[in-house]
Amino acid sequence: MIAAVAPFERALLQLPSAEAMALARASRPELERAMQRGATPDVEALIGWEFRGINTTPPGAPPIARLAGIQKFVKGMFRAADGRAMGYNSPCVQNALDGRWHTRPSDEAPKRFGFYELTAVDPTGRDNHYLHALLIDYGKGGNPAWDITSGLRDYLVQIDEHNPDLFLGKAYAAIGPARLPLGFFVLERFRRGPTSVDAP
């Protein structure tokens, strides 16, 4: 039995929780149900934190994320000078999935790229697949036009309304007016992030 952990104290855990690992290994139908049933995350509770990320590999699916070196990653959230909720990604060492997270090139000076804006989903907007989610819009992150991340649109939900540390996301590629689903990812509160970030 897993002992209860107070809100935000999970960030002190050095390894991913059993709940996060279960999501990382869940099937697509299970993840879709969890996505539909998730709660809307509190943006203010995300700001100032970094989150361990896992791009999931459903049973029987080819390990594309692992082969591409992007199965493990870190997402950070911060408040920009103009007041917008923003975020970034950092690449990670691709060690064992249930091992520690180490950002590259180092934990002291990680690379930050793939910036995005974090907002509530606009039901009248093009990106409105999950109205109870938060929208991670890389198209509004100030990334260079040639940066492939600019075409990403992610949705993020909190798995359990009583656990503010575990989240599930679903990524889409924006190609003109079309939105192509790419896959699911898991986020778990990891550590305090920087108070200021040099965004593009």
Side-chain angles (χ1 to χ4, degrees), residues 61-79:
I64 296 174
R66 180 170 61 80
L67 294 175
I70 57 172
Q71 187 171 34
K72 298 176 72 169
F73 61 94
V74 160
K75 275 191 189 306
M77 319 274 186
F78 65 97
R79 184 70 67 183

Side-chain angles (χ1 to χ4, degrees), residues 8-15 49 52 189-191:
F8 298 174
E9 288 183 7
R10 289 175 185 264
L12 302 178
L13 301 179
Q14 295 300 307
L15 301 176
W49 287 88
R52 281 186 291 258
R189 200 177 300 271
F190 178 35
R191 63 189 181 189

